[in-house]
Amino acid sequence: MAAITLIEGVTRALAHEMERDERVIVLGEDVGVNGGVFRATAGLQQRFGDQRVQDTPLAEAMIAGLSVGMAAQGMRPVAEIQFEGFVYPAVDQIVNHAARLRTRTRGRLTCPMVLRVPYGGGIHAPEHHSDSPEAMFAHMPGIRVVIPSSPARAYGLLLAAIRSPDPVVFFEPKRIYRLQKQEVPDDGEALPLDVCYTLREGEDVTVVTWGAMTWETLKAADQLADDGISCEIIDVATISPLDHETILESVERTGRLCIVQEAPRSFGVASEIAAVVAEQALYSLRTPISRVTGYDTIMPLFRLETEYMPSVQRVVDGIRAALEE
Amino acid sequence: METIADFEIQYSQFLDPDGRPSDTLPDFAQDSEQLIEMYRQMTLVRIFDGKAINLQRTGKLGTYASSLGHEASHVGIGAAMRPEDCLAPSYREYGAMLWRGVKMSEILLYWGGDERGSRFEHAPHDFPFCVPIATQCLHAAGAAMAYQLRGEPRCAVSINGDGGTSEGAFYEALNVAGAKKLPVVFVVINNKWAISVPLELQTASRTLAQKAVAAGIPGLQVDGNDVIAVRHWMERALERARRGEGPALIEAITYRLSDHTTADDASRYRKKEEVEAARAIEPLLRLRRYLVEQGLWDDAREEALRAECVERVDAAVESYINTPRAPVTDMFDYLFEKLPDHLVAQREMAQHYDRGGRH
Ligand SMILES: Cc1ncc(C[n+]2csc(CCOP(=O)(O)OP(=O)(O)O)c2C)c(N)n1
Ligand SMILES: [Mg+2]
């Protein structure tokens, strides 16, 4: 069996679920003949036809709203937003409708839809193509926010997202779409949502991250291992609802916490994780919590983007900061 | 039952693809200087475009959106506007932007991943490049409202694509402009494709000009490969708007002869024959034929013009290539008028970690 990339994990999950469940509909801009601008839906229209894989007109509010309508009436739409920078017209539909349809109708209507959104920097893309807005969505009650960090988790988490009875915003870290190949059997096995994944066990410090930053974090941990520092690395995977237990259990053991995110520093997911630990494990902490993040600036165009995004060096320094008494 | 509303959409062309007049030419087109000026600008854009694609191919530029085939539409818009007007472009309308004073080196900086590309040193009123599709239509409406409120005889112009007409913002802009009689002209460049999505999947509407009908404003279709038609109807729409008679929508029919951007491969979704047919009616050819026919142009002039354009483009490329990366503090220094305190430390941290462009 040939190893596949993260984006092929997405394609494989879509194909598997379309084959298994005829309610699954793929829609979005350029997802049909073109197979998506990143090729995530490559071959699906040829295989499943243009009813089940629909090129839509260019309008994100429409794509999200159409998905809400379909989902409420028994379909399982999986919509693609071309880049995170274009998700904003869809926010009205996601926040005001997808997130609260179940609540508003006391469970009569539900919204099992997935919005797939490639996100993040590092691919030398044009303007508005490199942001990390996961916290905005995580802040909104009623939606799940899921981010894979490997081909296997892309496959397993996307299957879970499509099967989820509630709406999921599935952010795909485009920087690592093709970085790594893994053997991923097409066995239809979903991975659990709402739990963190421990990528590496360790004793000295807990490092929490997600998406593409898992790569810089693993490299930083390798460097620190040479100095005898043992990092426990946790991939959050489901940003919201956040799995407190895995993080707290780890921090209680290591007594130290560093959080790594590509998104801006303030009011983000790292802030939430820090707050949870401060509330529930303050007395386990032997040192102050450390955060390694993007800056509170507009994501710069690509000549400066690598200065914006946390580098391995910044992660190393951030973890060291968490080790200082 | 009775008909209480109906509509017609007019189409206008002055030069046919062979460069033969198909209608009585407007006044400005009697002035050979003006025609030649537009031809020169169209040629410059075409040469610039080819150069930009080469830069991308050789790793010296990021993703680039070509304007190949759109030169008449873009130049016609630019030529019809007054300096004090305001343009809200999308991302590939270089012919209009250059006419407005944007520098070629700025366009290269932008696609080279440098914010200074939107500095527009010589186009003080214009909005920057706009990637989030159709959002700029509302900015043009807002700019027009500012002029209206202050009683200034100025107009705003927005440019978006056929795909952009599907966005809510496009309709919202047309509608508010109609309701408030704003001095704005909306141009839709119908190049038949929105990345891989052909017009017939975008809308069941027979024309895009008729989208004006629901907003209660005039809508007109012009041959977007005929610079005379584009400029003439833009001028008429702008005069009307300047007189306080309200907005208009102009649909310019052209064709995207290139891939969507250098990151796209159009051979995946459209036929070579279609592109070849469109190439045969492209805009430079027809204006040149007309100029030659009128005795205003010949091979020697063409050659001299090309040499001059190549020189100008090379100078712009030179200036672009020699622009050092911006300091890392640039991320912070244009965020607010004054940097908030909590960002001072972040700014220092960015300086500390600055790898000077190495990674
Ligand atoms: C709101 C938004 N959605 C999606 C995109 C991605 N995108 C960039 S260009 C484009 C197609 C635009 O087509 P059209 O409006 O016809 O303009 P053209 O590129 O043909 O000039 C798309 C979908 C975007 N930039 N903004
Ligand atoms: Mg188009």
Side-chain angles (χ1 to χ4, degrees):
Chain A
M1 189 185 57
I4 60 168
T5 59
L6 193 155
I7 193 162
E8 288 164 341
V10 169
T11 316
R12 185 169 284 182
L14 290 170
H16 186 99
E17 219 41 21
M18 292 190 80
E19 189 68 53
R20 196 186 69 85
D21 182 351
E22 62 180 23
R23 299 170 303 169
V24 176
I25 302 293
V26 166
L27 67 154
E29 295 158 11
D30 305 286
V31 300
V33 177
N34 199 34
V37 295
F38 285 105
R39 323 280 306 127
T41 56
L44 296 181
Q45 190 176 70
Q46 285 90 319
R47 182 162 161 202
F48 297 101
D50 61 8
Q51 291 296 292
R52 297 202 49 212
V53 181
Q54 301 238 5
D55 271 324
T56 64
L58 203 177
E60 292 71 17
M62 172 274 293
I63 290 169
L66 210 61
S67 299
V68 170
M70 277 196 278
Q73 301 300 321
M75 304 305 283
R76 295 262 164 170
V78 184
E80 176 174 301
I81 298 292
Q82 212 158 71
F83 286 85
E84 80 291 320
F86 314 131
V87 74
Y88 302 111
V91 169
D92 185 19
Q93 293 292 337
I94 298 298
V95 171
N96 280 327
H97 296 293
R100 50 186 99 193
L101 198 57
R102 181 187 291 280
T103 297
R104 289 174 57 222
T105 64
R106 304 288 89 180
R108 179 173 57 83
L109 296 178
T110 59
C111 202
M113 63 178 274
V114 179
L115 203 67
R116 295 183 35 248
V117 189
Y119 87 108
I123 64 157
H124 269 59
E127 207 173 10
H128 307 284
H129 287 69
S130 302
D131 287 1
S132 295
E134 66 269 27
M136 270 182 57
F137 291 85
H139 190 65
M140 296 299 157
I143 30 179
R144 274 192 174 71
V145 177
V146 176
I147 303 182
S149 67
S150 69
R153 268 186 304 283
Y155 178 79
L157 291 174
L158 184 54
L159 283 180
I162 301 172
R163 291 172 196 170
S164 158
D166 293 300
V168 176
V169 179
F170 195 82
F171 280 110
E172 297 170 5
K174 61 174 97 90
R175 177 155 60 95
I176 59 168
Y177 258 158
R178 296 183 166 83
L179 195 67
Q180 171 204 25
K181 285 196 169 196
Q182 251 182 349
E183 304 264 325
V184 182
D186 191 10
D187 55 11
E189 289 286 334
L191 286 169
L193 297 174
D194 304 351
V195 296
C196 295
Y197 292 78
T198 302
L199 302 185
R200 187 179 292 182
E201 291 181 1
E203 288 149 25
D204 299 325
V205 54
T206 301
V207 189
V208 179
T209 188
W210 54 94
M213 285 316 300
T214 52
W215 283 82
E216 279 71 17
T217 303
L218 285 164
K219 280 191 206 149
D222 288 342
Q223 284 189 19
L224 289 163
D226 295 342
D227 293 345
I229 296 162
S230 155
C231 300
E232 176 141 310
I233 300 182
I234 294 176
D235 172 10
V236 177
T238 300
I239 304 295
S240 171
L242 182 66
D243 166 12
H244 294 185
E245 206 178 302
T246 302
I247 296 171
L248 290 170
E249 186 278 324
S250 175
V251 171
E252 278 156 15
R253 259 189 300 107
T254 63
R256 298 179 180 96
L257 174 63
C258 175
I259 311 154
V260 182
Q261 74 180 13
E262 185 174 313
R265 187 168 189 80
S266 302
F267 309 101
V269 177
S271 317
E272 172 62 17
I273 293 169
V276 167
V277 171
E279 274 175 351
Q280 298 183 50
L282 187 63
Y283 298 115
S284 303
L285 283 174
R286 291 194 274 165
T287 54
I289 297 167
S290 153
R291 281 185 292 163
V292 183
T293 68
Y295 301 114
D296 289 329
T297 66
I298 306 300
M299 176 72 173
L301 290 182
F302 65 77
R303 268 181 110 181
L304 281 176
E305 75 177 338
T306 50
E307 301 305 331
Y308 175 94
M309 297 189 304
S311 59
V312 174
Q313 187 58 51
R314 275 172 68 191
V315 178
V316 166
D317 292 352
I319 296 173
R320 283 194 191 280
L323 290 162
E324 271 164 33
E325 298 290 332
Chain B
M1 282 241 282
E2 55 178 329
T3 301
I4 55 157
D6 58 8
F7 69 93
E8 274 177 5
I9 297 298
Q10 307 277 328
Y11 171 84
S12 171
Q13 178 199 65
F14 291 99
L15 286 186
D16 75 11
D18 296 323
R20 280 190 297 260
S22 47
D23 207 336
T24 322
L25 297 190
D27 287 348
F28 73 82
Q30 316 295 341
D31 178 352
S32 58
E33 299 251 318
Q34 296 206 32
L35 285 188
I36 289 172
E37 186 50 31
M38 291 194 291
Y39 181 69
R40 291 169 62 84
Q41 191 73 9
M42 286 160 65
T43 305
L44 178 67
V45 183
R46 171 108 13 133
I47 288 172
F48 169 78
D49 197 74
K51 185 73 189 183
I53 289 171
N54 282 339
L55 288 173
Q56 192 280 333
R57 298 261 150 83
T58 52
K60 298 191 181 89
L61 195 69
T63 301
Y64 170 79
S66 166
S67 70
L68 186 67
H70 304 75
E71 296 87 351
S73 294
H74 297 166
V75 168
I77 294 166
M81 293 176 69
R82 292 191 188 165
E84 67 269 26
D85 293 339
C86 156
L87 179 66
S90 308
Y91 41 81
R92 70 165 98 245
E93 296 85 24
Y94 315 125
M97 295 166 80
L98 292 176
W99 198 287
R100 303 275 309 149
V102 174
K103 298 189 285 188
M104 288 185 280
S105 57
E106 289 175 324
I107 296 170
L108 293 172
L109 277 172
Y110 181 74
W111 293 111
D114 192 320
E115 278 78 4
R116 289 171 293 183
S118 283
R119 174 69 184 77
F120 293 5
E121 195 184 339
H122 303 303
H125 318 299
D126 291 0
F127 286 93
F129 294 89
C130 183
V131 168
I133 300 290
T135 50
Q136 75 275 20
C137 302
L138 286 161
H139 307 157
M145 186 172 269
Y147 305 148
Q148 185 186 61
L149 287 167
R150 294 198 300 258
E152 296 169 356
R154 300 166 68 183
C155 299
V157 172
S158 75
I159 312 178
N160 66 276
D162 44 294
T165 65
S166 294
E167 287 281 5
F170 171 76
Y171 293 96
E172 293 169 24
L174 259 58
N175 186 61
V176 70
K180 309 246 176 227
K181 271 202 166 183
L182 298 176
V184 51
V185 178
F186 302 102
V187 188
V188 171
I189 308 284
N190 177 357
N191 63 9
K192 310 287 169 61
W193 291 89
I195 309 185
S196 73
V197 179
L199 189 60
E200 57 277 16
L201 286 185
Q202 202 67 244
T203 179
S205 200
R206 179 130 164 251
T207 71
L208 297 175
Q210 78 201 54
K211 307 251 171 189
V213 173
I217 71 176
L220 172 74
Q221 205 178 58
V222 303
D223 184 337
N225 290 345
D226 174 7
V227 71
I228 298 175
V230 176
R231 171 160 167 190
H232 174 67
W233 291 107
M234 276 302 293
E235 281 181 349
R236 295 286 295 269
L238 286 165
E239 276 161 25
R240 206 179 151 271
R242 226 181 287 283
R243 283 198 305 267
E245 291 168 32
L249 171 64
I250 294 178
E251 174 188 8
I253 309 281
T254 181
Y255 191 86
R256 196 193 78 211
L257 289 171
S258 63
D259 292 333
H260 170 67
T261 64
T262 51
D264 175 48
D265 174 8
S267 70
R268 271 205 295 256
Y269 52 79
R270 68 181 186 185
K271 292 207 173 68
K272 230 168 82 193
E273 298 80 59
E274 182 185 303
V275 183
E276 286 317 311
R279 206 182 295 281
I281 59 166
E282 64 94 0
L284 267 71
L285 215 53
R286 93 173 54 180
L287 185 55
R288 182 159 67 238
R289 282 172 179 157
Y290 176 74
L291 292 174
V292 168
E293 189 62 35
Q294 299 296 305
L296 296 168
W297 203 249
D298 55 28
D299 288 351
R301 282 183 222 202
E302 178 73 17
E303 216 170 287
L305 170 62
R306 289 186 159 269
E308 181 199 322
C309 291
V310 167
E311 206 173 297
R312 286 178 63 190
V313 169
D314 285 348
V317 170
E318 189 71 12
S319 147
Y320 158 66
I321 298 277
N322 291 328
T323 305
R325 199 208 70 182
V328 73
T329 45
D330 259 33
M331 271 192 256
F332 297 86
D333 293 347
Y334 298 93
L335 200 58
F336 296 106
E337 193 187 10
K338 185 179 175 302
L339 193 68
D341 288 345
H342 85 282
L343 278 169
V344 173
Q346 289 190 23
R347 188 175 181 276
E348 277 163 16
M349 185 176 173
Q351 279 177 298
H352 169 75
Y353 281 106
D354 186 2
R355 288 162 291 177
R358 294 175 302 276
H359 40 272

